[in-house]
């Protein structure tokens, strides 16, 4: 089985310039770093790599991917000596990946032909969690009924991260990100 990433083709992830900004606020925060891609090519489901400042994992569109992303994050934070960020980061990663699995499932092609690209990027005094998916739909924060089982993910991401936002990727889906301040 060949898995094609959510962002394959001309202008794939390695060619898409990205400077994280909050597109959901009146005064978006300036980008804490310059970023040009997670990897030379998006990873198939199950593949991963960890470098000194970038870690990437290809995930499927299913609930097991949330656990995979959490386990991967735990490993990377340990290797990068950022374990004090573990609790908040795991909660945010869970919400980011869950949202991609629930709301970004591709409508064309076999589901096994797509992947979610999950990454962690470390730069100076920041850690960013990024989720790339094939949907162009903007993340929408809702105010759920108090008895609702869902609908609180973006509120949790906002509450537990230093900043978050999203960006459309020229007809190739979007990236949703959250950042954390490290002890430097």
């Amino acid at each position: 089985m060949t898995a094609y990433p959510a962002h394959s083709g001309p202008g794939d992830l390695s060619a898409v310039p990205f400077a994280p900004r909050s597109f959901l606020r009146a005064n978006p925060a300036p980008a804490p770093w310059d970023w040009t891609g997670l990897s030379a090519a998006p990873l198939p489901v199950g593949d991963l790599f960890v470098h000194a400042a970038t870690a990437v994992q290809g995930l499927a569109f299913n609930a097991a991917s949330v656990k995979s992303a959490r386990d991967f994050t735990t490993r990377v934070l340990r290797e990068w000596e950022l374990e004090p960020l573990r609790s908040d980061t795991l909660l945010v990663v869970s919400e980011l990946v869950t949202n991609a699995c629930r709301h970004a499932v591709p409508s064309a092609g076999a589901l096994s032909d797509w992947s979610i690209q999950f990454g962690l990027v470390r730069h100076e005094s920041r850690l960013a969690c990024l989720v790339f998916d094939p949907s162009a739909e903007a993340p929408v924060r809702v105010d759920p009924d108090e008895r609702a089982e869902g609908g609180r993910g973006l509120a949790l991401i906002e509450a537990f991260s230093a900043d978050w936002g999203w960006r459309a990727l020229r007809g190739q889906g979007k990236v949703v990100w959250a950042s954390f301040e490290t002890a430097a």
Side-chain angles (χ1 to χ4, degrees):
M1 167 175 58
T2 302
Y4 299 96
H7 311 287
S8 62
D12 68 11
L13 289 180
S14 62
V16 177
F18 175 73
R21 295 183 216 300
S22 173
F23 287 90
L24 303 178
R25 297 188 176 99
N27 298 313
W33 60 86
D34 291 324
W35 181 84
T36 57
L38 289 174
S39 60
L43 299 177
V45 172
D47 283 7
L48 57 89
F49 72 80
V50 179
H51 294 301
T54 306
V56 183
Q57 182 178 34
L59 299 171
F61 287 90
N62 59 48
S65 290
V66 178
K67 181 180 182 332
S68 293
R70 289 173 57 91
D71 292 346
F72 182 68
T73 300
T74 298
R75 174 184 159 204
V76 171
L77 293 180
R78 186 177 311 118
E79 286 186 30
W80 289 352
E81 297 179 354
L82 294 174
E83 288 180 293
L85 298 176
R86 184 176 177 270
S87 180
D88 290 352
T89 304
L90 289 179
L91 180 124
V92 168
V93 164
S94 295
E95 295 301 330
L96 289 171
V97 175
T98 296
N99 285 348
C101 289
R102 285 187 179 165
H103 304 293
V105 177
S107 58
L111 193 55
S112 63
D113 290 343
W114 298 90
S115 68
I116 297 167
Q117 299 299 299
F118 168 65
L120 298 165
V121 177
R122 173 181 165 177
H123 183 73
E124 295 176 3
S125 63
R126 292 284 193 161
L127 171 72
C129 304
L130 304 104
V131 174
F132 294 82
D133 67 56
S135 173
E137 296 295 319
V140 177
R141 184 173 170 182
V142 296
D143 293 320
D145 178 275
E146 63 187 41
R147 294 172 296 221
E149 291 184 24
R152 294 172 181 82
L154 293 178
L156 288 170
I157 291 167
E158 185 172 337
F160 284 87
S161 65
D163 200 11
W164 77 278
W166 72 280
R167 180 175 179 179
L169 298 173
R170 291 189 228 140
Q172 297 181 351
K174 69 178 174 297
V175 58
V176 182
W177 60 271
S179 69
F180 300 86
E181 294 179 9
T182 65

